[in-house]
Each structure stands twice: as structure tokens, then as C-alpha cells.
């Protein structure tokens, strides 16, 4: 049996509202993770009387905080989109990342997608005329509404099987 591929069309793309929510929720999640790590370091330092750990966590410079933010942001997007084709925010908005032919993006595409997010003001590019942001364009990926995408894929699979029976 032939593997039916689905071509991503405009009607499957996530809405601007979904994309905006994805951005805000993902940034909040990364921020929460960073605060949790810092708080945990302070608590462990206080419990173990390790003043160096507590002092370090409390006295990080702006540059160090930005560096940790960038590392955490990269790891968050890269790992979640590589292994699940979606971030936690995309679970909430019921969207998923796919390639033009509907398959799961490879690690190279996800790497390009993730690194492109560090372009200043890139997060706002999907608000322009196109529903795709720069990170989508550079990586040749699409954020689609998962249920509509799966419905169309199942329909095409059904039609493909029906054509083979005839």
C-alpha cells in the first residue's frame, strides 16, 4: 500500500490568534522553567548551607540571565518540536508543526526553525499578511490545525485505499 502524503493548504494553517497564543504561552513556560531552576538552586543552597550556590543564583548578571534564557529557549523549542512536532502551547491550541507534504520535520528543519526564532522581532512576523513567520519560511515548515490536518489526511488515505480496491 502506498503512503498517502497530504499537501498543506491555506485552509489548514493555524490562525494568527493561535500563533499569538503559542508565542505567549511558550514564553511563559520557558520563564517559569527558569524561575523554577533558580528557585530550586537557592533552596538547595539554603538547605545544604551552600552559600556559594545561593549567592550565585541570586546574583546572576543580566548577561548571564539572557544567556540562560537563550539556552533554555533553544532547548525547549528544539526538544519539544523534534520529539512531539509541537510545543506545550501547541497542545493547548491544538496545532502541530509539519512539512509541506504533511510529514514530521527532521532535526535539521527544527534546528533552522529554532535558531530563526532568535532574529529580533521574529516572533511578530506571522502577524503580517502571511500566516507563516520567518522561522516557518526558513525551515520550510507549517503550523497547522491538528484536527483539520488529521481529518484531511484520513480522508485522503480512505480515498487512496478506495482507488486501489477498484
Amino acid at each position: 500500500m502506498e503512503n498517502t502524503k497530504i499537501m498543506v493548504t491555506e485552509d489548514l494553517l493555524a490562525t494568527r490568534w493561535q500563533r499569538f497564543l503559542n508565542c505567549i504561552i511558550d514564553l511563559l513556560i520557558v520563564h517559569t522553567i527558569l524561575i523554577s531552576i533558580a528557585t530550586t538552586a537557592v533552596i538547595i543552597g539554603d538547605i545544604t548551607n551552600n552559600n556559594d550556590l545561593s549567592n550565585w543564583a541570586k546574583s546572576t548578571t543580566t548577561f548571564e540571565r539572557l544567556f540562560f534564557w537563550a539556552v533554555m529557549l533553544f532547548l525547549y523549542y528544539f526538544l519539544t518540536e523534534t520529539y512531539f512536532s509541537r510545543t506545550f502551547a501547541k497542545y493547548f491550541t491544538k496545532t502541530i508543526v509539519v512539512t509541506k507534504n504533511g510529514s514530521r520535520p527532521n532535526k535539521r528543519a527544527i534546528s533552522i526553525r529554532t535558531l530563526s526564532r532568535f532574529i529580533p522581532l521574529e516572533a511578530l512576523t506571522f502577524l503580517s499578511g502571511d500566516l507563516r513567520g520567518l522561522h516557518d519560511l526558513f525551515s520550510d515548515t507549517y503550523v497547522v490545525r491538528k484536527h483539520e490536518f488529521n481529518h484531511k489526511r484520513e480522508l485522503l488515505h480512505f480515498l487512496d485505499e478506495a482507488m486501489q480496491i477498484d
Side-chain angles (χ1 to χ4, degrees):
M1 181 171 74
E2 184 179 316
N3 188 9
T4 305
K5 295 284 183 179
I6 179 174
M7 296 304 288
V8 174
T9 54
E10 190 87 15
D11 62 314
L12 296 176
L13 295 179
T15 65
R16 281 185 179 77
W17 179 245
Q18 287 172 313
R19 302 296 306 265
F20 180 73
L21 274 177
N22 287 345
C23 180
I24 298 299
I25 294 170
D26 283 332
L27 291 177
L28 287 172
I29 289 170
V30 170
H31 185 69
T32 303
I33 291 169
L34 283 170
I35 288 174
S36 299
I37 291 170
T39 303
T40 302
V42 170
I43 291 170
I44 289 172
D46 289 346
I47 290 173
T48 62
N49 290 327
N50 184 345
N51 292 333
D52 292 336
L53 182 60
S54 292
N55 291 339
W56 173 81
K58 293 175 185 175
S59 66
T60 54
T61 65
T62 302
F63 176 77
E64 289 172 327
R65 288 180 187 152
L66 287 173
F67 175 76
F68 290 129
W69 174 268
V71 169
M72 185 56 63
L73 205 62
F74 179 85
L75 290 173
Y76 173 77
Y77 280 112
F78 180 77
L79 294 174
T80 56
E81 289 186 346
T82 296
Y83 292 105
F84 308 113
S85 292
R86 59 201 320 200
T87 62
F88 293 112
K90 288 180 184 71
Y91 277 102
F92 177 75
T93 61
K94 297 175 176 57
T95 56
I96 191 166
V97 178
V98 296
T99 63
K100 180 70 175 171
N101 67 4
S103 63
R104 173 180 260 177
N106 59 30
K107 286 182 181 179
R108 181 180 182 278
I110 296 297
S111 295
I112 293 168
R113 182 177 171 79
T114 302
L115 289 171
S116 299
R117 294 177 191 273
F118 290 97
I119 298 170
L121 301 178
E122 187 282 330
L124 303 176
T125 57
F126 64 85
L127 295 175
S128 67
D130 194 357
L131 285 175
R132 296 175 68 202
L134 287 179
H135 61 279
D136 300 317
L137 295 171
F138 292 160
S139 63
D140 201 24
T141 57
Y142 298 80
V143 177
V144 297
R145 290 174 284 134
K146 186 176 190 255
H147 295 297
E148 288 82 351
F149 174 78
N150 286 338
H151 179 70
K152 187 173 183 180
R153 183 171 54 190
E154 289 168 4
L155 181 62
L156 288 175
H157 182 70
F158 174 76
L159 292 173
D160 187 41
E161 283 186 356
M163 296 295 278
Q164 290 179 4
I165 292 173
D166 292 340

